Amino acid sequence: MKRPNARFTMNLGGGLLAIAAMGTLVIGSTLALFSASETSGSNDFAAGTVTVGLGDASSIECDISGMAPGDSSKFAATGSNSLDSCTYEVKYTGSSTAWLSVDVAVATTGTNLYTAGQDGLQFYVGAGSTNIMNGTKYKTLDGTATTVNSGETVEHILIAATPATTNTTVSFGIEYLLPLLAPNALQGGNTSITLTFRAVQSANQPIGDCVAGQQCNTIIWG
Amino acid sequence: MAAVVAVGALALLANVGLRPASTSARFSAAISSPPSEFTGATLSPTVAPVITPSIENRFVRLDWQRVVSSRPVAYSVERTMSGGAPSSVCSVRPAGTVTNDIVSCTDGTSVADGTYSYTEMPYIDIAGSTPWSLPRSTASAPFLVPRLAHLANGSDVASVGANVVVPYPTGTRSGDVLLLVSVSGRNKSPTTPTGWSELVSRGVSGVSSAHLYVAWRVADASTSVTLDPQANGVGASTRIINYGQVNGNNTNPVIATSNIVAGTSPASTTFTSPSDIVTDASNAVVVSIVATNGATSLALSTPKGFAFRVSANTSPGSGSVSFGVADTNVAATGGPVASPTWTQSGTPQTWIHATVAFR
């Protein structure tokens, strides 16, 4: 029956020790000590940029109506060579080096002037010496000529095998031809073509087997 | 327990090693061009217009509404005889001429007494191309090519004297039907010139004194005829009207009625012959002629298929006379040909009229 008193005694002793310790700490934190310090210089980290914009030259957006068989743009291989060529002037403006590519989208809202065959509208898209689209075909990664289908977007055709630097300009040219053999069913048809100019950092992203003028899907375009 | 921990650690390592490569982004940018638009040509209207045939200068003239496009439009014109195969006419590219949005061309090979239907197909005229075209038009109403058709009106000779020289119309050929029409302010019959046959010589006396004289002949090589119209000081107006032989008609023209209609009618603004002519042969041309004593303008108010050819009012002397001519082609024989209604301007004058027929 004495055990509760004994526990009390032990608890009382522990409490006194705790009070003493706290007193020691309070007194210690308010004491001044001799010391010194030195801060390093600022280490700055800035990301490079990958940006694109319109080129310095004006683009020529085509709105060609009333096309008839045999009509073609000025620099098409055959045809009347009487209609305006279309151009799309762009510029790489980022600070990092970058790979450049273009997407090609052919579309229609009704009867299609572009048949994806030899009897429909032909597009000849290029960027300098790089051929992007030749009539109805583009080249895949392995160089296979493949048909551009209306309503689909052909992505990532590499413009150059060397990275672009700041202010690299790219001038896309679109020549076109409606062949003489275009059938009567194309009367009143319509087609549009849209180019999307892309840039992606080239750092830490080797180009691998990609070739200019061919689809390049082995790198990440963002 | 230790094995489970080891597998978990490997899985974590695998995740750390693989996930960044498959999902990591790259700095990138893109910009798209506005779409370049290309639209093919169209033809308007979208239904090929129907051809209307008629006779002009001895041949079948074809008229239809123009079709437009962004490029020159040509027309492939075909004709079909009953039960026959289509044949091409108007091969000129682009075919014919355009006046006031009406395209015309001439069928140079259709022949008199033939009945033809015509169609046309507009197409964009680009050499070497697959033609962009409209479906061929529906066929025109069957058209009977007449044997004789109005070709020309000769010059009016207004005179108060005798023995006036009346020239043949330009373009007259041997074999054409020539009508000599003389209207005088004096009611007196002229003497029929040699080689001519009188058809009508009717007149009225009194304040509306006038005389209508009509003779005809098959044209010869002459270029004029001399006529004494028996005019007084009021004078007379005389001219020759040519009903020429249509292409392919090599038959000698004849009168195509056994009963020429002629008469006079009291002054009124309008006039319709009380008697209709009856032709006695198929494919005949029926000619309605009216005259008055007065400077009135004569016109058709109810044509009934007649085509107006000429109206003249002149003052050859102290007074005035006027006359008008219209005609129609009648395919069938034996029935009455409904007479047109004429109208005159100004103070109404007495009518003198005649209806004749030839084939």
Side-chain angles (χ1 to χ4, degrees):
Chain A
M1 295 301 288
K2 295 290 184 182
R3 294 189 70 88
N5 289 337
R7 183 181 292 170
F8 176 72
T9 303
M10 287 178 68
N11 285 346
L12 181 64
L16 290 172
L17 282 171
I19 291 170
M22 285 181 66
T24 303
L25 283 174
V26 170
I27 293 168
S29 67
T30 59
L31 293 176
L33 300 175
F34 289 160
S35 65
S37 67
E38 182 168 326
T39 303
S40 71
S42 173
N43 288 302
D44 294 333
F45 301 89
T49 61
V50 174
T51 55
V52 293
L54 294 177
D56 298 328
S58 297
S59 299
I60 300 173
E61 176 187 343
C62 282
D63 187 2
I64 310 296
S65 60
M67 287 191 79
D71 280 354
S72 70
S73 55
K74 285 176 186 169
F75 302 111
T78 60
S80 66
N81 299 124
S82 59
L83 301 174
D84 287 339
S85 304
C86 329
T87 61
Y88 184 43
E89 306 288 345
V90 290
K91 184 163 63 176
Y92 174 67
T93 54
S95 60
S96 301
T97 58
W99 302 117
L100 305 181
S101 74
V102 64
D103 299 350
V104 178
V106 177
T108 186
T109 56
T111 300
N112 205 338
L113 207 54
Y114 176 84
T115 62
Q118 293 182 340
D119 59 354
L121 189 61
Q122 308 287 302
F123 288 117
Y124 305 94
V125 183
S129 60
T130 301
N131 288 324
I132 307 297
M133 182 175 175
N134 186 16
T136 61
K137 306 285 188 183
Y138 73 100
K139 288 185 177 177
T140 57
L141 178 65
D142 62 2
T144 302
T146 305
T147 300
V148 177
N149 293 312
S150 181
E152 298 176 0
T153 299
V154 175
E155 295 182 312
H156 311 319
I157 298 177
L158 192 67
I159 294 170
T162 54
T165 56
T166 305
N167 290 330
T168 296
T169 60
V170 178
S171 178
F172 293 104
I174 303 175
E175 305 296 330
Y176 50 90
L177 162 70
L178 188 59
L180 283 170
L181 49 75
N184 193 30
L186 299 191
Q187 194 182 137
N190 68 79
T191 293
S192 68
I193 184 169
T194 303
L195 303 181
T196 298
F197 175 54
R198 293 187 180 279
V200 68
Q201 68 181 66
S202 60
N204 307 315
Q205 192 159 225
I207 194 169
D209 293 332
C210 288
V211 175
Q214 299 179 13
Q215 204 167 33
C216 178
N217 286 330
T218 56
I219 63 174
I220 296 171
W221 286 96
Chain B
M1 181 65 177
V4 172
V5 171
V7 170
L10 283 173
L12 181 62
L13 284 172
N15 265 326
V16 170
L18 291 176
R19 186 165 289 168
S22 60
T23 61
S24 68
R26 301 290 190 272
F27 285 176
S28 64
I31 183 173
S32 292
S33 70
S36 285
E37 305 279 355
F38 303 85
T39 306
T42 57
L43 293 156
S44 178
T46 55
V47 176
V50 176
I51 288 177
T52 301
S54 61
I55 289 292
E56 183 181 72
N57 292 329
R58 305 178 191 275
F59 293 96
V60 176
R61 171 184 167 136
L62 307 172
D63 295 287
W64 63 94
Q65 195 72 32
R66 179 186 190 185
V67 172
V68 296
S69 181
S70 57
R71 298 304 170 83
V73 174
Y75 304 86
S76 160
V77 182
E78 291 182 351
R79 75 164 185 238
T80 307
M81 286 192 81
S82 179
S87 61
S88 180
V89 294
C90 303
S91 58
V92 178
R93 299 172 58 196
T97 58
V98 178
T99 305
N100 295 329
D101 287 336
I102 297 295
V103 183
S104 303
C105 77
T106 299
D107 177 2
T109 56
S110 58
V111 294
D113 287 333
T115 300
Y116 304 94
S117 292
Y118 292 90
T119 61
E120 59 91 8
M121 182 184 74
Y123 63 95
I124 296 175
D125 189 23
I126 297 175
S129 71
T130 302
W132 284 15
S133 61
L134 293 179
R136 188 166 286 278
S137 71
T138 56
S140 68
F143 181 72
L144 170 64
V145 180
R147 292 185 168 201
L148 299 168
H150 178 266
L151 187 68
N153 302 316
S155 301
D156 179 73
V157 180
S159 173
V160 296
N163 300 324
V164 297
V165 177
V166 187
Y168 286 11
T170 302
T172 296
R173 295 181 193 167
S174 294
D176 291 346
V177 167
L178 301 180
L179 288 183
L180 176 62
V181 180
S182 181
V183 183
S184 170
R186 179 188 182 198
N187 185 12
K188 186 174 182 180
S189 295
T191 300
T192 300
T194 302
W196 291 75
S197 299
E198 180 184 299
L199 292 170
V200 174
S201 186
R202 298 294 291 265
V204 293
S205 299
V207 293
S208 295
S209 179
H211 195 95
L212 170 64
Y213 172 80
V214 181
W216 81 287
R217 74 164 296 158
V218 176
D220 59 358
S222 302
T223 57
S224 64
V225 62
T226 300
L227 174 74
D228 179 0
Q230 299 293 328
N232 56 13
V234 175
S237 171
T238 307
R239 75 172 67 197
I240 293 173
I241 299 170
N242 185 342
Y243 280 86
Q245 287 183 303
V246 173
N247 185 53
N249 178 14
N250 299 316
T251 59
N252 208 34
V254 294
I255 293 175
T257 181
S258 58
N259 183 24
I260 290 173
V261 172
T264 64
S265 182
S268 67
T269 301
T270 62
F271 166 73
T272 305
S273 173
S275 302
D276 293 332
I277 197 170
V278 177
T279 58
D280 61 9
S282 62
N283 203 12
V285 60
V286 172
V287 184
S288 172
I289 306 166
V290 292
T292 72
N293 177 351
T296 61
S297 294
L298 304 176
L300 289 175
S301 59
T302 308
K304 293 183 181 169
F306 280 71
F308 180 79
R309 299 303 184 188
V310 62
S311 173
N313 64 74
T314 59
S315 298
S318 59
S320 300
V321 294
S322 61
F323 78 97
V325 175
D327 63 62
T328 188
N329 200 70
V330 180
T333 180
V337 179
S339 300
T341 298
W342 289 89
T343 183
Q344 61 175 298
S345 63
T347 303
Q349 304 290 324
T350 301
W351 294 91
I352 310 171
H353 68 92
T355 309
V356 297
F358 302 91
R359 75 186 293 264

